[in-house]
Amino acid sequence: MDTQAFFARVLPATGVKFIAVPTPLREGGVYWKHVAAQTPVQMARYAEALDAKELQVYFACASYENEFVMVDEKKKYRIRENVKAVKSFWLDIDCGEGKDYDTQAEGLAALERFLLDSGVPRPLVVNSGNGIHAYWSSAVSIHPDIWVRISTILREVCSAYGLRIDGKCTTDACRVLRPVGTHNRKSGAKRVFVIGSNRANIIIGMTGMEATCGVHQLRYGSTRLNASNSST
């Protein structure tokens, strides 16, 4: 899967999309530079051009109403009030020394156990350079309020089944992650790529918003585990 196809898969068709690049400040902290785009083609072009300059490249996981909004006389980009829609749910699994899993192999094994035990549909899995990202993409865009409710269920099911994730990331519609086809430059230049065959991964259909991303399976997993715990 190339960068353009990845963006088409995980992002809503409508709304403003962002490529984001962190720039360290002299006084400490980071300033995020945002480049606005409308289409997967534009997103891929910007991401690839910035990656070619050996910059750390991220993308905003949601789409937005406006290229920026003014808050206290300052331009703001990725804030909750500006979110238009979300198309995917995601997990960020940290791997490496001192992280949730010592190696990517351990993280992948844990994700596989979680999928088998919980009944959650198989996601698109991405090697983020050091860790693992997992994406469940809907056939349609999702309202932010509904997305938060369902992503919270996903986070709770991960916790119930013992999958260690960045829980704040999973429920943060304003999150940025690394796009496929770029490089993680925290230690060397590690390419970000899809693990396995992307054709085996399902774009979740919807008979209603509550069915998005296998929410029925998520609820079943929580119910099953709670019932098991209550019997001990």
Side-chain angles (χ1 to χ4, degrees), residues 135-149:
Y135 297 90
W136 291 265
S137 297
S138 172
V140 299
S141 298
I142 306 163
H143 188 278
D145 291 343
I146 296 171
W147 181 88
V148 168
R149 184 170 71 242

Side-chain angles (χ1 to χ4, degrees), residues 116-163:
L116 292 173
D117 292 345
S118 68
V120 173
R122 191 163 296 278
L124 182 75
V125 182
V126 172
N127 182 324
S128 66
N130 291 318
I132 300 161
H133 297 160
Y135 297 90
W136 291 265
S137 297
S138 172
V140 299
S141 298
I142 306 163
H143 188 278
D145 291 343
I146 296 171
W147 181 88
V148 168
R149 184 170 71 242
I150 298 173
S151 65
T152 300
I153 296 171
L154 175 59
R155 182 187 65 190
E156 291 172 352
V157 173
C158 289
S159 176
Y161 281 92
L163 180 64

Side-chain angles (χ1 to χ4, degrees), residues 176-194:
V176 293
L177 292 171
R178 297 179 186 275
V180 165
T182 62
H183 293 80
N184 183 331
R185 303 183 188 278
K186 284 185 176 179
S187 56
K190 300 175 182 177
R191 189 165 180 81
V192 179
F193 62 91
V194 171

